[in-house]
Protein backbone atom coordinates (compact mmCIF):
# COMPACT_ATOMS: atom_id res chain seq x y z
CA UNK A 1 0.00 0.00 0.00
CA UNK A 2 1.41 3.36 -0.97
CA UNK A 3 1.26 6.05 1.70
CA UNK A 4 0.41 9.68 0.89
CA UNK A 5 3.42 11.97 0.61
CA UNK A 6 3.69 14.80 3.09
CA UNK A 7 6.13 17.69 2.79
CA UNK A 8 8.73 17.85 5.56
CA UNK A 9 9.83 21.18 7.04
CA UNK A 10 13.33 22.31 6.24
CA UNK A 11 16.09 21.90 8.79
CA UNK A 12 16.32 24.71 11.23
CA UNK A 13 12.78 25.89 10.53
CA UNK A 14 11.59 24.91 13.99
CA UNK A 15 14.52 26.68 15.64
CA UNK A 16 14.03 29.90 13.70
CA UNK A 17 10.34 29.93 14.58
CA UNK A 18 11.21 29.42 18.24
CA UNK A 19 13.72 32.27 18.12
CA UNK A 20 11.26 34.61 16.42
CA UNK A 21 8.51 33.95 18.97
CA UNK A 22 7.37 36.97 20.89
CA UNK A 23 7.99 36.92 24.66
CA UNK A 24 4.98 36.28 26.85
CA UNK A 25 3.51 39.33 28.52
CA UNK A 26 4.16 39.52 32.24
CA UNK A 27 0.54 39.96 33.26
CA UNK A 28 -0.79 37.01 31.18
CA UNK A 29 -2.37 34.19 33.22
CA UNK A 30 -0.97 30.68 32.56
CA UNK A 31 -4.41 29.06 33.06
CA UNK A 32 -5.66 30.90 29.94
CA UNK A 33 -2.92 29.24 27.88
CA UNK A 34 -3.87 25.76 29.06
CA UNK A 35 -7.60 26.02 28.41
CA UNK A 36 -9.42 26.15 25.08
CA UNK A 37 -11.82 29.10 24.69
CA UNK A 38 -15.51 28.23 24.74
CA UNK A 39 -17.07 27.82 21.31
CA UNK A 40 -13.71 27.46 19.49
CA UNK A 41 -13.59 24.85 16.72
CA UNK A 42 -10.71 23.75 14.57
CA UNK A 43 -11.19 24.96 10.96
CA UNK A 44 -12.09 22.21 8.48
CA UNK A 45 -9.42 20.95 6.07
CA UNK A 46 -10.24 22.34 2.60
CA UNK A 47 -8.81 22.04 -0.91
CA UNK A 48 -7.00 25.34 -0.46
CA UNK A 49 -4.84 23.75 2.24
CA UNK A 50 -3.56 21.14 -0.24
CA UNK A 51 -4.24 22.39 -3.80
CA UNK A 52 -1.78 19.99 -5.46
CA UNK A 53 -3.47 16.89 -4.06
CA UNK A 54 -1.71 13.56 -3.36
CA UNK A 55 1.20 12.21 -5.37
CA UNK A 56 0.42 8.48 -5.02
CA UNK A 57 -2.65 6.33 -4.61
CA UNK A 58 -3.43 4.76 -1.20
CA UNK A 59 -5.85 1.90 -0.61
CA UNK A 60 -7.14 -0.31 2.20
CA UNK A 61 -9.15 -3.53 2.11
CA UNK A 62 -10.96 -5.57 4.78
CA UNK A 63 -12.96 -8.80 4.82
CA UNK A 64 -16.52 -9.14 6.12
CA UNK A 65 -18.49 -12.18 7.35
CA UNK A 66 -21.11 -13.93 5.23
CA UNK A 67 -24.08 -12.78 7.31
CA UNK A 68 -23.23 -9.08 6.56
CA UNK A 69 -23.50 -9.57 2.78
CA UNK A 70 -27.22 -8.80 2.50
CA UNK A 71 -26.96 -5.61 4.60
CA UNK A 72 -23.90 -4.33 2.73
CA UNK A 73 -25.66 -4.86 -0.63
CA UNK A 74 -28.51 -2.59 0.49
CA UNK A 75 -26.43 0.22 1.99
CA UNK A 76 -23.46 0.17 -0.44
CA UNK A 77 -24.85 2.95 -2.70
CA UNK A 78 -25.05 5.18 0.38
CA UNK A 79 -21.44 4.28 1.30
CA UNK A 80 -20.22 5.20 -2.20
CA UNK A 81 -22.15 8.48 -2.12
CA UNK A 82 -20.65 9.46 1.25
CA UNK A 83 -17.08 8.64 0.11
CA UNK A 84 -17.45 10.31 -3.31
CA UNK A 85 -18.00 13.62 -1.55
CA UNK A 86 -14.39 13.27 -0.32
CA UNK A 87 -13.16 11.93 -3.70
CA UNK A 88 -12.58 8.37 -2.44
CA UNK A 89 -13.59 5.28 -4.44
CA UNK A 90 -15.18 2.25 -2.73
CA UNK A 91 -15.65 -1.26 -4.20
CA UNK A 92 -17.56 -4.25 -2.84
CA UNK A 93 -16.41 -7.74 -3.86
CA UNK A 94 -19.05 -10.33 -2.94
CA UNK A 95 -17.03 -13.25 -4.36
CA UNK A 96 -14.03 -12.70 -2.10
CA UNK A 97 -16.12 -11.11 0.65
CA UNK A 98 -14.06 -7.91 0.87
CA UNK A 99 -14.44 -4.12 0.79
CA UNK A 100 -11.79 -1.80 -0.66
CA UNK A 101 -11.33 1.98 -0.49
CA UNK A 102 -8.72 3.97 -2.45
CA UNK A 103 -7.84 7.59 -3.13
CA UNK A 104 -8.13 9.33 -6.52
CA UNK A 105 -6.37 12.21 -8.26
CA UNK A 106 -8.96 14.64 -6.90
CA UNK A 107 -8.39 13.60 -3.24
CA UNK A 108 -6.86 16.52 -1.33
CA UNK A 109 -7.23 15.39 2.33
CA UNK A 110 -4.37 12.96 3.18
CA UNK A 111 -6.16 11.66 6.30
CA UNK A 112 -9.50 10.86 4.65
CA UNK A 113 -8.23 7.44 3.53
CA UNK A 114 -7.68 6.50 7.20
CA UNK A 115 -11.25 7.52 8.00
CA UNK A 116 -12.50 5.53 5.00
CA UNK A 117 -10.58 2.50 6.28
CA UNK A 118 -12.26 2.85 9.69
CA UNK A 119 -15.63 3.14 7.95
CA UNK A 120 -15.35 -0.24 6.17
CA UNK A 121 -13.98 -1.82 9.35
CA UNK A 122 -17.02 -0.67 11.32
CA UNK A 123 -19.39 -1.91 8.61
CA UNK A 124 -17.69 -5.32 8.69
CA UNK A 125 -18.19 -5.48 12.49
CA UNK A 126 -22.00 -5.17 12.50
CA UNK A 127 -22.12 -1.38 13.01
CA UNK A 128 -25.02 0.27 11.19
CA UNK A 129 -24.31 2.65 8.30
CA UNK A 130 -25.92 5.60 10.12
CA UNK A 131 -23.45 5.26 12.99
CA UNK A 132 -20.41 4.22 10.92
CA UNK A 133 -20.63 7.17 8.47
CA UNK A 134 -20.08 9.59 11.36
CA UNK A 135 -16.40 8.55 11.36
CA UNK A 136 -15.88 10.75 8.31
CA UNK A 137 -16.43 13.82 10.49
CA UNK A 138 -13.38 15.58 11.94
CA UNK A 139 -14.61 15.55 15.56
CA UNK A 140 -15.46 11.81 15.63
CA UNK A 141 -13.03 8.94 16.18
CA UNK A 142 -13.31 5.20 16.75
CA UNK A 143 -11.25 2.50 18.43
CA UNK A 144 -11.61 -1.22 17.70
CA UNK A 145 -10.53 -3.28 20.72
CA UNK A 146 -9.81 -6.98 20.28
CA UNK A 147 -10.93 -8.67 23.49
CA UNK A 148 -10.91 -12.28 22.29
CA UNK A 149 -7.45 -13.05 23.68
CA UNK A 150 -7.78 -11.20 27.02
CA UNK A 151 -9.64 -13.95 28.93
CA UNK A 152 -8.92 -17.66 28.47
CA UNK A 153 -12.03 -19.12 30.13
CA UNK A 154 -14.93 -18.96 27.66
CA UNK A 155 -17.73 -18.70 30.29
CA UNK A 156 -15.90 -15.94 32.14
CA UNK A 157 -15.27 -14.13 28.85
CA UNK A 158 -18.98 -14.19 27.94
CA UNK A 159 -20.02 -12.83 31.38
CA UNK A 160 -17.53 -9.96 31.25
CA UNK A 161 -18.38 -9.13 27.63
CA UNK A 162 -22.07 -8.94 28.61
CA UNK A 163 -21.26 -6.11 31.03
CA UNK A 164 -20.06 -3.98 28.10
CA UNK A 165 -23.17 -4.44 25.96
CA UNK A 166 -25.76 -1.79 26.69
CA UNK A 167 -29.37 -1.24 25.52
CA UNK A 168 -30.12 -2.17 21.89
CA UNK A 169 -26.65 -3.62 21.43
CA UNK A 170 -24.78 -0.34 22.05
CA UNK A 171 -21.40 -0.70 23.74
CA UNK A 172 -19.29 1.48 26.00
CA UNK A 173 -17.12 4.00 24.15
CA UNK A 174 -14.06 4.26 26.43
CA UNK A 175 -11.08 1.98 25.88
CA UNK A 176 -9.97 1.92 29.55
CA UNK A 177 -13.46 0.88 30.67
CA UNK A 178 -13.48 -2.00 28.18
CA UNK A 179 -10.01 -3.28 29.11
CA UNK A 180 -10.68 -3.01 32.86
CA UNK A 181 -13.95 -4.90 32.45
CA UNK A 182 -12.09 -7.80 30.86
CA UNK A 183 -9.76 -7.70 33.90
CA UNK A 184 -12.79 -8.28 36.19
CA UNK A 185 -13.24 -4.61 37.20
CA UNK A 186 -16.90 -3.64 36.88
CA UNK A 187 -17.55 -0.74 34.46
CA UNK A 188 -19.66 1.14 37.03
CA UNK A 189 -16.46 2.15 38.88
CA UNK A 190 -14.87 3.79 35.83
CA UNK A 191 -18.18 5.35 34.77
CA UNK A 192 -18.48 6.96 38.21
CA UNK A 193 -14.99 8.43 37.85
CA UNK A 194 -15.87 9.84 34.41
CA UNK A 195 -19.01 11.49 35.81
CA UNK A 196 -16.95 13.15 38.57
CA UNK A 197 -14.40 14.38 36.02
CA UNK A 198 -17.16 15.88 33.89
CA UNK A 199 -18.49 17.85 36.88
CA UNK A 200 -14.99 19.00 37.88
CA UNK A 201 -14.28 20.20 34.35
CA UNK A 202 -17.13 22.72 34.67
CA UNK A 203 -15.33 24.51 37.53
CA UNK A 204 -12.83 27.02 36.14
CA UNK A 205 -10.75 27.04 39.37
CA UNK A 206 -10.22 23.26 39.40
CA UNK A 207 -9.21 22.88 35.74
CA UNK A 208 -5.51 23.46 36.42
CA UNK A 209 -5.44 21.40 39.67
CA UNK A 210 -5.00 17.70 40.30
CA UNK A 211 -8.26 15.75 40.61
CA UNK A 212 -6.86 12.70 42.40
CA UNK A 213 -8.30 13.72 45.77
CA UNK A 214 -11.83 13.83 44.28
CA UNK A 215 -11.71 10.54 42.39
CA UNK A 216 -12.72 7.36 44.25
CA UNK A 217 -10.07 4.75 44.90
CA UNK A 218 -11.32 1.22 44.23
CA UNK A 219 -9.35 -1.76 45.49
CA UNK A 220 -9.49 -4.96 43.50
CA UNK A 221 -10.54 -7.84 45.75
CA UNK A 222 -10.46 -11.40 44.48
CA UNK A 223 -13.11 -13.14 46.59
CA UNK A 224 -13.18 -16.45 44.77
CA UNK A 225 -10.17 -18.42 45.89
CA UNK A 226 -8.65 -21.03 43.69
CA UNK A 227 -9.95 -24.51 44.39
CA UNK A 228 -7.23 -26.71 45.82
CA UNK A 229 -6.97 -30.26 44.49
CA UNK A 230 -7.97 -33.08 46.81
CA UNK A 231 -4.83 -35.07 46.06
CA UNK A 232 -1.76 -32.92 46.41
CA UNK A 233 1.31 -34.25 44.64
CA UNK A 234 4.51 -33.57 46.53
CA UNK A 235 7.44 -32.95 44.25
CA UNK A 236 10.49 -35.03 44.95
CA UNK A 237 13.86 -33.47 45.41
CA UNK A 238 15.84 -33.17 42.23
CA UNK A 239 18.76 -35.56 41.88
CA UNK A 240 21.08 -35.70 38.88
CA UNK A 241 21.29 -39.49 39.10
CA UNK A 242 18.69 -41.72 37.45
CA UNK A 243 16.39 -43.89 39.61
CA UNK A 244 17.59 -47.45 40.40
CA UNK A 245 16.62 -50.09 37.88
CA UNK A 246 13.76 -52.34 39.12
CA UNK A 247 14.64 -55.98 39.82
CA UNK A 248 13.61 -58.55 37.25
CA UNK A 249 11.96 -61.89 38.06
CA UNK A 250 15.29 -63.72 37.65
CA UNK A 251 16.98 -61.33 40.11
CA UNK A 252 14.26 -61.98 42.68
CA UNK A 253 14.60 -65.77 42.22
CA UNK A 254 18.38 -65.53 42.60
CA UNK A 255 18.02 -63.53 45.82
CA UNK A 256 15.52 -66.02 47.34
CA UNK A 257 17.36 -69.14 46.01
CA UNK A 258 14.41 -70.37 43.91
CA UNK A 259 16.45 -70.09 40.72
CA UNK A 260 18.58 -73.12 41.69
CA UNK A 261 15.63 -75.39 42.58
CA UNK A 262 14.38 -78.12 40.31
CA UNK A 263 10.99 -78.00 38.59
CA UNK A 264 9.32 -80.49 40.97
CA UNK A 265 10.67 -78.57 43.98
CA UNK A 266 9.31 -75.28 42.64
CA UNK A 267 5.93 -76.94 42.06
CA UNK A 268 5.90 -78.30 45.60
CA UNK A 269 6.65 -74.83 47.02
CA UNK A 270 3.83 -73.30 45.02
CA UNK A 271 1.38 -75.94 46.27
CA UNK A 272 2.45 -75.36 49.87
CA UNK A 273 1.96 -71.61 49.50
CA UNK A 274 -1.51 -72.17 47.99
CA UNK A 275 -2.48 -74.56 50.84
CA UNK A 276 -1.27 -72.06 53.46
CA UNK A 277 -3.43 -69.30 51.90
CA UNK A 278 -6.44 -71.64 51.78
CA UNK A 279 -6.01 -72.63 55.45
CA UNK A 280 -5.78 -68.96 56.45
CA UNK A 281 -8.95 -68.11 54.50
CA UNK A 282 -10.83 -71.07 56.05
CA UNK A 283 -9.83 -70.01 59.58
CA UNK A 284 -11.04 -66.42 58.95
CA UNK A 285 -14.33 -67.69 57.54
CA UNK A 286 -14.84 -69.94 60.57
CA UNK A 287 -14.21 -67.09 62.98
CA UNK A 288 -16.86 -64.99 61.25
CA UNK A 289 -19.37 -67.85 61.52
CA UNK A 290 -18.64 -68.37 65.24
CA UNK A 291 -19.34 -64.72 65.98
CA UNK A 292 -23.08 -65.38 65.55
CA UNK A 293 -23.02 -67.92 68.42
CA UNK A 294 -21.23 -65.71 70.95
CA UNK A 295 -23.83 -64.36 73.45
CA UNK A 296 -23.93 -60.61 73.90
CA UNK A 297 -22.76 -59.09 77.16
CA UNK A 298 -25.56 -58.63 79.65
CA UNK A 299 -26.07 -55.28 81.28
CA UNK A 300 -25.44 -55.19 85.07
CA UNK A 301 -28.59 -55.27 87.25
CA UNK A 302 -29.19 -51.97 88.98
CA UNK A 303 -30.69 -52.34 92.50
CA UNK A 304 -33.65 -50.03 93.26
CA UNK A 305 -32.92 -47.33 95.78
CA UNK A 306 -34.74 -47.49 99.15
CA UNK A 307 -37.39 -44.83 99.63
CA UNK A 308 -36.39 -42.20 102.17
CA UNK A 309 -38.46 -41.63 105.36
CA UNK A 310 -39.33 -38.13 104.23
CA UNK A 311 -41.12 -39.34 101.14
CA UNK A 312 -43.13 -42.13 102.92
CA UNK A 313 -46.91 -41.83 102.62
CA UNK A 314 -48.98 -41.40 105.83
CA UNK A 315 -51.64 -44.09 105.37
CA UNK A 316 -53.51 -43.34 108.64
CA UNK A 317 -54.20 -39.68 107.77
CA UNK A 318 -55.49 -40.69 104.32
CA UNK A 319 -57.96 -43.17 105.91
CA UNK A 320 -59.39 -40.50 108.24
CA UNK A 321 -59.96 -38.12 105.37
CA UNK A 322 -61.78 -40.84 103.44
CA UNK A 323 -64.12 -41.58 106.43
CA UNK A 324 -65.02 -37.90 106.82
CA UNK A 325 -65.79 -37.65 103.13
CA UNK A 326 -68.15 -40.66 103.33
CA UNK A 327 -70.09 -39.26 106.34
CA UNK A 328 -70.50 -35.90 104.68
CA UNK A 329 -73.31 -35.65 102.12
CA UNK A 330 -72.89 -33.80 98.94
CA UNK A 331 -73.97 -30.15 99.44
CA UNK A 332 -74.68 -30.60 103.27
CA UNK A 333 -73.46 -27.96 105.75
CA UNK A 334 -70.99 -28.71 108.52
CA UNK A 335 -71.90 -28.53 112.23
CA UNK A 336 -70.18 -25.19 112.68
CA UNK A 337 -72.01 -23.69 109.68
CA UNK A 338 -75.38 -24.90 111.07
CA UNK A 339 -74.72 -23.26 114.50
CA UNK A 340 -73.82 -19.96 112.89
CA UNK A 341 -76.98 -20.04 110.75
CA UNK A 342 -79.21 -20.64 113.78
CA UNK A 343 -77.70 -17.70 115.67
CA UNK A 344 -78.29 -15.42 112.69
CA UNK A 345 -82.01 -16.50 112.51
CA UNK A 346 -82.60 -15.74 116.23
CA UNK A 347 -81.13 -12.23 115.83
CA UNK A 348 -83.51 -11.52 112.99
CA UNK A 349 -86.56 -12.59 115.06
CA UNK A 350 -85.56 -10.31 117.95
CA UNK A 351 -85.27 -7.30 115.64
CA UNK A 352 -88.75 -7.91 114.26
CA UNK A 353 -90.27 -7.91 117.78
Amino acid sequence: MASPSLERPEKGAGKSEFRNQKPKPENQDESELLTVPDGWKEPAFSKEDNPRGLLEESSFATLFPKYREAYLKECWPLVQKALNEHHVNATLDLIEGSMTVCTTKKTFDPYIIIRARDLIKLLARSVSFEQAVRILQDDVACDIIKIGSLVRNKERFVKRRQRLIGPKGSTLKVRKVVLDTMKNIHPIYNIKSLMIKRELAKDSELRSQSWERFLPQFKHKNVNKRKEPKKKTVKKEYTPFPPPQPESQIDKELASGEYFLKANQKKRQKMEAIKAKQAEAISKRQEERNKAFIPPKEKPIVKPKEASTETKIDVASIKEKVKKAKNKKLGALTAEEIALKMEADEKKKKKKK
Side-chain angles (χ1 to χ4, degrees):
M1 181 196 74
S3 59
S5 62
L6 298 174
E7 297 179 359
R8 295 184 180 178
E10 296 180 0
K11 292 184 178 179
K15 293 181 180 177
S16 62
E17 286 178 4
F18 181 75
R19 289 173 185 168
N20 295 331
Q21 281 181 354
K22 295 179 181 179
K24 290 189 294 183
E26 296 179 357
N27 299 330
Q28 190 173 6
D29 191 3
E30 291 184 359
S31 62
E32 294 179 1
L33 300 175
L34 298 173
T35 57
V36 178
D38 295 334
W40 181 86
K41 287 186 179 181
E42 187 177 358
F45 193 87
S46 62
K47 195 171 182 178
E48 297 174 358
D49 297 326
N50 187 16
R52 296 180 182 180
L54 306 178
L55 297 177
E56 295 183 5
E57 181 183 323
S58 301
S59 62
F60 288 99
T62 186
L63 300 174
F64 60 86
K66 185 72 174 174
Y67 66 88
R68 293 288 292 171
E69 184 177 332
Y71 180 77
L72 291 173
K73 270 185 187 179
E74 294 178 3
C75 69
W76 195 249
L78 299 174
V79 175
Q80 288 179 326
K81 185 180 177 182
L83 292 174
N84 286 336
E85 293 177 0
H86 301 276
H87 307 289
V88 176
N89 288 336
T91 55
L92 176 66
D93 192 345
L94 298 176
I95 297 171
E96 293 183 358
S98 64
M99 293 180 285
T100 309
V101 289
C102 62
T103 58
T104 61
K105 292 181 180 180
K106 294 182 179 180
T107 307
F108 59 88
D109 188 354
Y111 196 73
I112 193 62
I113 189 64
I114 304 298
R115 296 188 178 278
R117 178 201 64 182
D118 293 341
L119 172 63
I120 59 175
K121 278 187 177 181
L122 293 172
L123 291 172
R125 283 167 171 79
S126 301
V127 179
S128 63
F129 170 76
E130 291 77 9
Q131 294 294 329
V133 77
R134 292 174 59 199
I135 197 64
L136 299 176
Q137 301 174 13
D138 291 337
D139 56 346
V140 179
C142 74
D143 191 4
I144 297 168
I145 307 165
K146 295 181 180 179
I147 61 175
S149 60
L150 296 178
V151 182
R152 293 182 181 178
N153 192 343
K154 189 176 180 181
E155 294 180 1
R156 200 174 296 165
F157 169 76
V158 172
K159 286 181 181 178
R160 293 180 185 177
R161 185 183 63 179
Q162 191 64 29
R163 296 175 187 171
L164 299 173
I165 300 173
K168 297 181 181 179
S170 61
T171 54
L172 298 176
K173 300 176 183 179
V174 182
R175 186 182 185 87
K176 185 177 182 299
V177 177
V178 175
L179 295 176
D180 286 350
T181 303
M182 302 314 293
K183 294 176 184 176
N184 202 19
I185 299 173
H186 202 278
I188 191 64
Y189 301 137
N190 286 316
I191 291 170
K192 190 174 182 180
S193 300
L194 292 172
M195 292 171 67
I196 294 169
K197 287 178 181 179
R198 186 176 63 182
E199 295 298 324
L200 292 171
K202 295 177 182 178
D203 194 345
S204 58
E205 295 180 359
L206 297 173
R207 284 180 183 176
S208 59
Q209 297 180 13
S210 177
W211 293 348
E212 290 184 1
R213 64 181 187 273
F214 301 107
L215 300 177
Q217 301 293 331
F218 301 104
K219 294 181 180 179
H220 182 68
K221 295 180 181 180
N222 191 4
V223 180
N224 296 326
K225 294 182 179 178
R226 186 183 175 187
K227 292 182 180 179
E228 297 181 357
K230 292 181 180 178
K231 294 181 181 179
K232 294 182 180 180
T233 55
V234 181
K235 291 185 178 179
K236 297 179 181 178
E237 295 181 0
Y238 173 75
T239 55
F241 305 103
Q245 191 174 0
E247 293 183 352
S248 62
Q249 187 67 23
I250 297 171
D251 294 336
K252 291 177 182 178
E253 289 179 358
L254 286 170
S256 61
E258 293 181 9
Y259 185 78
F260 304 101
L261 296 175
K262 294 179 181 179
N264 56 356
Q265 290 176 340
K266 288 180 180 180
K267 191 174 182 181
R268 193 185 306 150
Q269 277 189 354
K270 284 182 181 180
M271 293 298 293
E272 288 176 359
I274 290 167
K275 286 180 180 179
K277 285 182 180 179
Q278 287 177 351
E280 188 179 352
I282 289 166
S283 63
K284 285 183 179 179
R285 201 178 300 120
Q286 192 64 32
E287 287 178 2
E288 289 179 0
R289 287 176 181 175
N290 293 335
K291 283 180 182 179
F293 299 101
I294 297 171
K297 291 182 180 180
E298 295 181 358
K299 294 180 181 180
I301 299 168
V302 180
K303 293 181 180 180
K305 294 181 180 179
E306 293 181 357
S308 59
T309 55
E310 294 178 359
T311 57
K312 284 183 179 179
I313 299 167
D314 192 358
V315 180
S317 62
I318 292 170
K319 286 182 179 180
E320 288 180 1
K321 287 180 180 179
V322 172
K323 284 181 180 178
K324 287 180 180 179
K326 284 181 180 179
N327 295 331
K328 185 179 177 182
K329 293 181 180 178
L330 291 171
L333 299 173
T334 58
E336 294 177 357
E337 291 175 349
I338 292 166
L340 290 170
K341 193 174 182 181
M342 289 175 69
E343 288 178 2
D345 292 341
E346 289 178 358
K347 287 179 180 180
K348 286 181 181 179
K349 287 178 181 179
K350 286 179 181 179
K351 286 180 181 181
K352 287 179 181 180
K353 290 179 181 181

